[in-house]
């Protein structure tokens, strides 16, 4: 069996926490819909493993005897699992959940943020030198393919051929000390029995740093690209970590010789890619509008206006939430956007902070001209009335359809503002918004 960690996997193997004073123990490694976890047993409450889960001195006989409780060992950031299928390094570990008998045996659960396959020693993969992700929709947005598809119609049966091609990568450049690039590629994946093969058209978003950087630092750049695609066509794109490397973990053969970089396979809790939309769903921001320089401009904008953009972008995940929750989530983003634009206009911070909601919304509209598929002034009136209606109990409660329309149009305004800010001409933006799925409002059925 190949060393994999697929959903539903449950493996038993050796546990190594890189502490010579802790006892040897077997553990259960599991990957479920709840995440990646290991279950650690202990035979008595004085075990250092028990100390990762229970409070100081809890269940220790020494406490009842008047002695100082044994010093608890900290939960390690990294632990190693090893069984007959191979080693797995678990990083970003945290202890959560245990069951134990008073003065007796017990077990606790360690949860891991990331599993690095094939690593058999302590390597600081919580600070990698490189990270690769697969962002749904990125390859399509860039307009690149690594396959050439050909059909011929001779006198006999139709013939089809697929040939791999080498596509150029996109060097975005240095962003906060991290080099960002988009690297195309391909893969052929045989299914069991080898009766079928899947051809994959890949596009890896890649970050590299001269010095090791935290996983958060690397991933932030990948997430920013994913957020751009979310805003562009309002589709919940995925961003899944797939490979990572460290300079101190090179590709090494059995003779001990090193052979350059080794990108390790990465497993995260949720690695399900987002399926593409089934129908026509165009982008309002296109790579042709931005090119390489525009990507860096977007990342800077993403950081500068994070207080405004994050609530709007993340509200796309509120699929089961009602209109009130969505608007309450998105409204502060619009308020923040208007405020930050006033600050950028050199309005005094005190004056900007006391600006009304109406004034902030009107400031956003000032950048959009007549590009919106609805009257901006009417939207301001409606949004102010509905948003204040759900915030203040002394006001009339707005109709649910009005709440949903305020939310949807508010999101569209933010998306349009980002497109205009990144250089999409307003006349072109107006044309694209006419084809956008969010131009259609909700209609009350009587």
């Amino acid at each position: 069996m190949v060393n994999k960690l697929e959903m539903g996997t449950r493996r038993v193997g050796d546990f190594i926490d890189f502490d010579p004073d802790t006892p040897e123990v077997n553990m259960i490694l599991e990957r479920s819909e709840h995440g990646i976890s290991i279950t650690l047993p202990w035979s008595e409450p004085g075990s250092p493993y028990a100390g990762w889960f229970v409070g100081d001195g809890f269940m220790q006989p020494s406490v009842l005897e008047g002695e100082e409780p044994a010093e608890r060992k900290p939960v390690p950031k990294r632990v190693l699992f090893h069984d007959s299928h191979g080693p797995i390094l678990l990083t970003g570990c945290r202890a959560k959940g245990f069951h134990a008998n008073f003065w007796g045996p017990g077990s606790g659960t360690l949860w891991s943020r990331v599993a690095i396959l094939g690593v058999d020693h302590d390597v600081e993969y919580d600070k990698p030198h490189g990270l690769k992700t697969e962002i749904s929709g990125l390859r399509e947005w860039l307009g690149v393919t690594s396959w050439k598809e050909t059909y011929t119609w001779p006198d006999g049966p139709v013939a089809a051929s697929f040939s791999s091609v080498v596509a150029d990568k996109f060097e975005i450049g240095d962003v906060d000390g991290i080099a960002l690039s988009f690297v195309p590629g391909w893969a052929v994946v045989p299914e069991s029995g080898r009766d079928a093969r899947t051809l994959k058209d890949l596009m890896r978003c890649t970050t590299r740093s001269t010095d090791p950087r935290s996983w958060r630092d690397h991933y932030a750049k990948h997430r920013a690209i994913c957020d751009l695609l979310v805003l562009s066509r309002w589709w919940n794109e995925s961003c899944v970590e797939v490979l990572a490397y460290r300079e101190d973990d090179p590709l090494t053969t059995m003779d001990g010789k090193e052979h350059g970089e080794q990108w390790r396979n990465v497993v995260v809790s949720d690695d399900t890619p987002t399926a593409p939309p089934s129908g026509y769903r165009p982008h309002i921001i296109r790579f042709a509008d931005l090119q390489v320089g525009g990507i860096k401009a977007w990342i800077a904008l993403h950081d500068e206006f994070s207080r405004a953009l994050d609530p709007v972008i993340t509200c796309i995940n509120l699929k089961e939430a009602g209109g009130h929750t969505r608007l309450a989530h998105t409204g502060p983003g619009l308020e923040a956007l208007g405020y930050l634009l006033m600050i950028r206009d050199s309005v005094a911070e005190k004056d900007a902070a006391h600006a009304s909601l109406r004034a902030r919304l009107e400031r956003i509209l000032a950048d959009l001209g007549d590009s919106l598929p609805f009257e901006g002034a009417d939207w301001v009136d409606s949004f102010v009335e509905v948003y204040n209606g759900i915030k203040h109990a002394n006001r009339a409660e707005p109709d649910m359809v009005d709440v949903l329309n305020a939310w949807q149009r508010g999101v569209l305004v933010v998306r349009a503002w980002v497109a205009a800010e990144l250089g999409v001409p307003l006349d072109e933006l107006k044309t694209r918004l006419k084809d956008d799925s969010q131009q259609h409002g909700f209609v009350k059925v009587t």
Side-chain angles (χ1 to χ4, degrees), residues 219-291:
Y219 188 72
K221 307 300 180 286
H222 300 255
R223 187 70 240 181
I225 302 302
C226 184
D227 286 347
L228 174 61
L229 299 184
V230 170
L231 288 173
S232 181
R233 65 174 175 177
W234 200 242
W235 188 255
N236 194 12
E237 309 289 1
S238 57
C239 180
V240 179
E241 302 101 306
V242 292
L243 295 166
Y245 97 96
R246 286 267 312 184
E247 290 183 355
D248 53 358
D249 182 33
L251 181 62
T252 307
T253 51
M254 295 183 66
D255 59 5
K257 294 183 179 179
E258 297 181 359
H259 300 273
E261 295 178 354
Q262 177 168 216
W263 286 85
R264 297 284 193 178
N265 288 318
V266 167
V267 177
V268 292
S269 298
D270 183 10
D271 61 356
T272 304
T274 298
S278 57
Y280 180 62
R281 202 177 189 96
H283 288 272
I284 63 171
I285 306 168
R286 300 170 185 172
F287 180 68
D289 302 323
L290 306 184
Q291 296 300 323

Side-chain angles (χ1 to χ4, degrees), residues 18-294:
F18 310 112
D19 185 341
D21 297 327
T22 53
E24 295 183 2
V25 66
N26 287 339
M27 68 174 181
I28 298 174
L29 171 64
E30 183 174 9
R31 184 183 174 199
S32 68
E33 65 274 12
H34 302 296
I36 302 170
S37 65
I38 56 176
T39 302
L40 279 169
W42 58 81
S43 58
E44 48 86 22
S47 166
Y49 301 134
W52 292 352
F53 301 93
V54 301
D56 290 329
F58 181 69
M59 297 190 306
Q60 294 191 24
S62 60
V63 175
L64 296 181
E65 296 169 1
E67 301 176 5
E68 288 293 325
E71 183 180 353
R72 296 176 62 189
K73 290 181 175 291
V75 178
K77 295 180 180 179
R78 300 178 299 278
V79 298
L80 184 66
F81 169 87
H82 200 295
D83 66 0
S84 58
H85 304 301
I88 298 178
L89 183 71
L90 305 174
T91 70
C93 296
R94 72 185 193 282
K96 184 179 180 182
F98 74 95
H99 182 273
N101 292 329
F102 191 73
W103 284 8
S107 63
T109 304
L110 277 182
W111 296 90
S112 172
R113 165 70 177 83
V114 181
I116 316 292
L117 304 183
V119 181
D120 61 1
H121 58 291
D122 189 15
V123 184
E124 199 173 357
Y125 264 104
D126 36 5
K127 289 186 176 181
H129 289 88
L131 180 65
K132 294 185 179 183
T133 62
E134 292 182 355
I135 300 174
S136 63
L138 178 59
R139 184 196 62 79
E140 176 192 357
W141 184 70
L142 293 170
V144 176
T145 181
S146 296
W147 292 99
K148 181 181 180 181
E149 184 176 346
T150 305
Y151 295 91
T152 57
W153 288 267
D155 295 336
V158 176
S161 66
F162 294 84
S163 303
S164 63
V165 297
V166 178
D168 294 334
K169 67 179 180 178
F170 299 78
E171 294 285 3
I172 308 303
D174 182 271
V175 181
D176 300 327
I178 296 178
L180 175 66
S181 61
F182 305 144
V183 184
W186 57 270
V188 179
V189 182
E191 296 184 7
S192 58
R194 304 187 69 84
D195 290 335
R197 291 167 177 80
T198 300
L199 306 183
K200 290 193 172 184
D201 214 348
L202 303 175
M203 178 63 70
R204 264 67 185 273
C205 182
T206 304
T207 50
R208 293 172 175 268
S209 59
T210 303
D211 298 320
R213 300 285 292 269
S214 71
W215 203 274
R216 181 189 297 272
D217 285 347
H218 279 281
Y219 188 72
K221 307 300 180 286
H222 300 255
R223 187 70 240 181
I225 302 302
C226 184
D227 286 347
L228 174 61
L229 299 184
V230 170
L231 288 173
S232 181
R233 65 174 175 177
W234 200 242
W235 188 255
N236 194 12
E237 309 289 1
S238 57
C239 180
V240 179
E241 302 101 306
V242 292
L243 295 166
Y245 97 96
R246 286 267 312 184
E247 290 183 355
D248 53 358
D249 182 33
L251 181 62
T252 307
T253 51
M254 295 183 66
D255 59 5
K257 294 183 179 179
E258 297 181 359
H259 300 273
E261 295 178 354
Q262 177 168 216
W263 286 85
R264 297 284 193 178
N265 288 318
V266 167
V267 177
V268 292
S269 298
D270 183 10
D271 61 356
T272 304
T274 298
S278 57
Y280 180 62
R281 202 177 189 96
H283 288 272
I284 63 171
I285 306 168
R286 300 170 185 172
F287 180 68
D289 302 323
L290 306 184
Q291 296 300 323
V292 169

